[in-house]
Amino acid sequence: MPRLWLLLAAAIVVAGAGLRAWPAATADGPVWPPPPDVARIKYIGSIAEPRDIGAGPGLFGRVASALLGRKRQPHLLRPHAMATDSVGRLYVADTEQKMVHVLDVGRKKYSYLDPAPFTSPVGVAVGPDDSVWVTDSARRRVFRYSSDGKLRATLGVVKGEEIFRRPTGIAVADDGRIYVVDTLACRIEVLSPDGRVVATIGRRGADEAEFNAPTDIAIGRNGRLFVVDALNARLQVLDREGHYIRAVGHRGNGTGDMDKPKGVAVDSDGHLYVAEGLHDVLQIFSEDGRLLLVVGHSGMGAGEFSLPSAVHIDAANRVYVADALNSRVQVFQYVSQPDAR
């Protein structure tokens, strides 16, 4: 297994010009694979509350006071999904708090999206214009916020008809199209940038491009779609129009198997990261489905998980894992080089 990773690159991808830097990986933190193999995933740290990003006590106290009136607090309780924007702000959908936290690492500031609309925020994505899209599975709505945190649109009804049964995972393509996973309907609704339904992908089933309770979606190179087909215990790879390419993974309880896949993300080299909720691990595959590495195990320590519910990768190949029952987001660094595949 480690030999596959020896083909990968050695230098850490540098963040884009506008992306504020995170701290480097800790020298004594865990790495995967362990020595003497070359590390490909390095632990950076974890976020459970604003002070973990350096937000000062004064700000922490003011925010806490404001939120406590709403029976909410600025620490994470049940992180369920994450996204980052072009300047490095981290958005975390918290189902227990019924809110979306906004953690600005570069400015060491904490804020939140107006929580008034939310009942069960389970998905969050950022568009090419830094608009923020949030799915609410209980309200059966998708909310669009501008980059300054203002609610701009609520989607979910067309001509009096409900669009979604239970919207969950969400991703926004470079052309502005929005892909919304509907877990109960077992399909993906494709919306135009202005919120119109322009296509529907999939139906209930176990064949190619059919789903059984899909939960998450990510967009990779060439616009390919990677869909967590949860109750079929696999990841499906589709083209941008929804045509089947391949499946990755299969049901089982061994290394590389899937039992309760929850979330998916893609790094800059096209590797697939799958949060496996039952086994408390992050599994990394090549795009053609070869298992490359398994990160973590059950626990509360650095690099250990308790129900990892989602994974997100930013422009600098930092890997964020929603460690739901540990009430935190763990952050890692993928180590790459230009010819890694």
Side-chain angles (χ1 to χ4, degrees):
M1 188 73 59
R3 293 180 181 177
L4 294 173
W5 283 89
L6 292 177
L7 300 175
L8 302 180
I12 293 176
V13 169
V14 177
L19 193 61
R20 302 187 190 103
W22 269 78
T26 57
D28 58 349
V31 299
W32 296 265
D37 293 307
V38 177
R40 301 307 176 192
I41 301 292
K42 296 183 176 182
Y43 175 79
I44 293 178
S46 68
I47 303 170
E49 57 185 340
R51 66 181 177 183
D52 292 333
I53 64 165
L59 175 60
F60 183 92
R62 290 196 300 273
V63 173
S65 296
L67 287 178
L68 281 170
R70 299 171 183 258
K71 298 183 179 179
R72 296 178 177 91
Q73 301 178 28
H75 59 262
L76 308 184
L77 282 185
R78 189 64 62 87
H80 197 277
M82 302 141 302
T84 49
D85 66 12
S86 65
V87 295
R89 286 175 294 199
L90 173 66
Y91 297 86
V92 183
D94 187 329
T95 56
E96 184 73 18
Q97 297 260 40
K98 301 180 181 180
M99 63 189 295
V100 176
H101 306 270
V102 184
L103 298 138
D104 190 331
V105 179
R107 293 193 179 101
K108 299 182 179 180
K109 292 184 177 181
Y110 170 86
S111 59
Y112 56 93
L113 298 182
D114 181 356
F118 303 136
T119 299
S120 179
V122 296
V124 61
V126 173
D129 60 351
D130 275 349
S131 58
V132 182
W133 300 77
V134 182
T135 59
D136 190 311
S137 61
R139 292 196 60 188
R140 297 189 288 180
R141 296 291 184 268
V142 174
F143 300 98
R144 178 174 64 85
Y145 287 80
S146 57
S147 59
D148 60 358
K150 305 297 184 183
L151 180 62
R152 300 301 185 189
T154 300
L155 310 178
V157 178
V158 174
K159 296 181 179 178
E161 296 292 328
E162 297 277 351
I163 299 175
F164 310 112
R165 293 180 63 191
R166 182 176 291 171
T168 52
I170 186 169
V172 184
D174 289 341
D175 62 3
R177 285 192 294 180
I178 303 100
Y179 294 82
V180 182
V181 176
D182 192 326
T183 298
L184 277 184
C186 296
R187 64 191 182 209
I188 299 165
E189 298 290 1
V190 186
L191 311 181
S192 65
D194 62 359
R196 294 177 294 107
V197 178
V198 296
T200 298
I201 297 171
R203 60 182 181 181
R204 184 181 299 275
D207 291 334
E208 297 178 358
E210 295 181 344
F211 307 110
N212 189 358
T215 58
D216 198 18
I217 186 170
I219 301 175
R221 297 179 295 187
N222 303 316
R224 284 187 173 178
L225 308 176
F226 302 91
V227 183
V228 176
D229 189 7
L231 293 188
N232 282 328
R234 63 185 178 181
L235 187 72
Q236 289 205 61
V237 185
L238 313 174
D239 67 19
R240 70 177 69 235
E241 304 303 327
H243 302 120
Y244 179 85
I245 297 175
R246 69 174 64 90
V248 174
H250 52 80
R251 191 179 308 280
N253 59 8
T255 300
D257 293 337
M258 297 186 189
D259 198 306
K260 188 180 285 186
K262 304 286 287 184
V264 61
V266 188
D267 69 25
S268 64
D269 291 325
H271 306 121
L272 311 176
Y273 295 62
V274 179
E276 170 52 55
L278 184 64
H279 306 303
D280 292 331
V281 295
L282 181 67
Q283 300 189 133
I284 306 175
F285 299 86
S286 65
E287 193 171 332
D288 62 4
R290 293 173 297 144
L291 178 67
L292 300 177
L293 193 62
V294 176
V295 174
H297 53 80
S298 298
M300 300 174 63
E304 298 175 345
F305 307 111
S306 182
L307 189 61
S309 61
V311 57
H312 168 71
I313 301 176
D314 70 13
N317 277 332
R318 285 180 289 260
V319 182
Y320 305 81
V321 180
D323 190 7
L325 295 186
N326 282 327
S327 299
R328 64 186 179 180
V329 171
Q330 294 200 65
V331 189
F332 306 84
Q333 179 71 59
Y334 163 58
V335 181
S336 176
Q337 75 181 146
D339 61 350
R341 292 292 184 269

